[in-house]
Amino acid sequence: MKKIAIFTSDHCELTQRLVEMLASDERTEVEIVVTDRENSPIVAEMEKLNVATLIAPREVWHERPQEIVETLSGRGVDTVVLDHFTPVLPEEISSKFKVMEVCCDDDLPRAMGELGGEQKSVDEEWAETLKLNYDPTQAQATPPPIPQA
């Protein structure tokens, strides 16, 4: 199972969506959300989702990044996702963990693919919306009609 840490400064909407999307996949787990801001609303939002948070002030990032590495390693984290994260990522962190950046909703499908999360096809989304039974073999086996000239 991939264990993920999300680093965010203050943009909790995207982090929250990413946590919710990854929670539905048994191959991934958001282990901890790390923020550099003590008053960030992400702490309360993650508490609602039962996800641990770590507040690491900027001086920790600059002077003692090994403390963050130890916390993440102790939780078995192997991947770090950056969501609008403003501090420069210390070499100690970027060399120890796989790092990827997510900065907008358009990045979520790519992130889900790289993180191993489930992605629904457009056909699956429509079938779910219309409350239809979805059969992926039928969707792939039936070619679109060819227009008559």
Side-chain angles (χ1 to χ4, degrees):
M1 172 181 288
K2 266 190 187 170
K3 291 198 173 193
I4 299 161
I6 301 175
F7 289 11
T8 186
S9 286
D10 208 21
H11 297 277
C12 60
E13 286 181 27
L14 191 59
T15 296
Q16 187 172 352
R17 280 197 295 280
L18 190 57
V19 168
E20 290 169 351
M21 291 171 76
L22 291 169
S24 65
D25 187 339
E26 66 273 355
R27 297 173 294 172
T28 61
E29 177 183 357
V30 176
E31 184 64 31
I32 191 167
V33 172
V34 182
T35 182
D36 61 324
R37 305 214 176 144
E38 291 183 30
N39 59 351
S40 176
I42 196 69
V43 175
E45 292 302 318
M46 292 301 104
E47 191 173 292
K48 293 176 192 173
L49 297 171
N50 294 319
V51 175
T53 55
L54 171 66
I55 299 169
R58 290 180 190 240
E59 56 270 5
V60 173
W61 293 100
H62 297 296
E63 299 167 14
R64 302 182 312 275
Q66 194 58 35
E67 290 178 17
I68 299 167
V69 170
E70 288 170 9
T71 299
L72 299 181
S73 296
R75 291 179 158 274
V77 169
D78 51 36
T79 304
V80 170
V81 177
L82 306 177
D83 170 18
H84 292 92
F85 191 66
T86 52
V88 174
L89 201 61
E91 174 72 25
E92 291 89 342
I93 295 172
S94 61
S95 64
K96 173 83 174 163
F97 305 99
K98 177 182 177 185
V99 178
M100 63 183 299
E101 190 169 354
V102 176
C103 60
C104 63
D105 284 340
D106 293 342
D107 289 341
L108 286 179
R110 175 188 54 81
M112 292 299 292
E114 287 183 33
L115 295 171
E118 295 279 330
Q119 282 186 277
K120 293 182 182 176
S121 68
V122 173
D123 292 331
E124 287 175 288
E125 293 282 346
W126 273 106
E128 188 176 290
T129 301
L130 298 172
K131 298 183 181 5
L132 302 172
N133 290 329
Y134 175 72
D135 181 0
T137 59
Q138 287 294 64
Q140 295 171 359
T142 308
I146 300 172
Q148 298 296 325

